[in-house]
Amino acid sequence: KQWYQRRVAITAGADQRKKLMINYLPRSVDVDQLKAMFEKYGPVANAHIVKNTATNESKGYGFITFHDENSSEPAINELNGQPIEDKRLRVAYSTPIDDNNRTKAVATSSGDDVNVYIANLPKTWDEKELTARFETYGPVKHCKILRDNAGVSRGAGFVRYETSKMAAAAILDMDDRCPEGGTLPLIVKIADGKKKDKAASSASINHSGLPGLVLNHNPATASVLQAMTVN
C-alpha cells in the first residue's frame, strides 16, 4: 500500500495530491465529523460524504480536499487503518477512475450472477444467519458456509447476488467490519467463478487473498466498486 501511495504522490499533480479518498466510513459519521477528523493536519477546503440519492444515507465513503498538498501525507500516514466503530479507515490519494476502469465497471454492473466470498465469519453462523446479514444489499440467490468433513464451519462462505451492483455495495459496507460475535474483521471480496471451487476447497484462509479473489483494498479497485454502486 505504501509503494502505491508513493507512486500516486509522485505522478499526481499538486491539485490531485490535495484530495483524499476515505473508504470504510461508518454510516454514522457525518460530514462535520469527517472534516474535524482531518483538520488537525491542515485547513480543509472541502469535505464530502457520498450518499444514496434515494435514501440520503451514507454509502460508507467520502472525500477530503486540503488547501495545502503537504497536509495529505501526514493524514494518510496516521489515519489509514485507524479503527473507528466497527471498521478500519482506508485513506488514500484520490485518483480519478480512468476510462478503462470506468468501462469495466459499467460493463460488469450489468452482468449475470456474482459470487461474493466472505472470510473470518463467526463459527456460530449458519447459512440462515449469513443470508440475513447480506440480504440488505439485495436478494441472496444462494448462500453457502464452507465446512470441514465433520460439518464444522471453517469461518468462510459465499453469497450470490443477481448483479455486481449488489455485490459491490456489500463489499464496500461489510469488508473490514467486525461482526457481533466475531473476533476478526470480515474479509469480503468478489470471487472469480472459474477458481471458486479451488478457493472453496482450501482450508487455509489468509489476508493476502485466495486464488481467484479480487482484493478491494487499493484505491483503484475501490473506485471501480464505488462506480458500480452509483444509482
Side-chain angles (χ1 to χ4, degrees):
K1 295 172 187 175
Q2 290 181 344
W3 69 262
Y4 180 90
Q5 288 302 321
R6 282 198 287 274
R7 186 185 69 183
V8 172
I10 291 170
T11 59
D15 286 341
Q16 284 180 284
R17 290 195 295 268
K18 294 177 183 178
K19 188 173 183 179
L20 303 180
M21 175 190 293
I22 302 91
N23 288 296
Y24 308 124
L25 276 173
R27 295 190 180 190
S28 61
V29 174
D30 61 28
V31 71
D32 291 332
Q33 292 171 314
L34 178 63
K35 183 178 180 181
M37 201 183 305
F38 283 83
E39 281 181 324
K40 62 182 288 189
Y41 306 101
V44 172
N46 181 262
H48 175 62
I49 290 179
V50 179
K51 296 184 177 182
N52 184 306
T53 55
T55 65
N56 202 39
E57 290 184 351
S58 168
K59 286 191 173 184
Y61 68 100
F63 299 89
I64 285 287
T65 303
F66 287 110
H67 282 287
D68 185 350
E69 63 181 280
N70 294 317
S71 301
S72 296
E73 189 170 351
I76 292 172
N77 290 340
E78 288 196 24
L79 292 179
N80 186 40
Q82 178 76 24
I84 177 169
E85 295 185 16
D86 58 353
K87 294 194 174 188
R88 285 182 292 169
L89 297 179
R90 289 287 182 268
V91 184
Y93 288 103
S94 175
T95 54
I97 303 175
D98 61 33
D99 292 338
N100 289 334
N101 280 345
R102 189 177 299 278
T103 300
K104 178 182 175 182
V106 173
T108 305
S109 65
S110 60
D112 294 329
D113 293 358
V114 179
N115 284 314
V116 174
Y117 171 83
I118 307 102
N120 292 340
L121 291 170
K123 296 293 184 71
T124 57
W125 282 22
D126 57 13
E127 281 79 3
K128 184 177 180 180
E129 179 74 14
L130 182 59
T131 298
R133 297 300 182 109
F134 279 82
E135 65 184 0
T136 301
Y137 313 99
V140 173
K141 298 187 68 174
H142 181 71
C143 173
K144 180 180 181 180
I145 297 284
L146 303 185
R147 305 178 188 277
D148 61 21
N149 293 334
V152 178
S153 170
R154 291 178 177 174
F158 293 90
V159 295
R160 183 184 302 159
Y161 290 106
E162 294 179 355
T163 68
S164 292
K165 182 176 180 179
M166 296 173 187
I171 292 168
L172 286 168
D173 195 43
M174 292 297 288
D175 184 56
D176 243 13
R177 182 188 290 267
C178 191
E180 183 178 350
T183 57
L184 294 171
L186 297 178
I187 301 171
V188 187
K189 310 171 184 177
I190 294 176
D192 184 342
K194 294 179 181 179
K195 298 182 181 179
K196 182 180 65 176
D197 293 338
K198 181 178 179 181
S201 65
S202 173
S204 175
I205 308 300
N206 62 75
H207 209 113
S208 62
L210 288 168
L213 298 175
V214 181
L215 289 172
N216 64 301
H217 280 186
N218 71 65
T221 309
S223 294
V224 173
L225 289 169
Q226 288 153 4
M228 288 161 58
T229 67
V230 173
N231 292 329

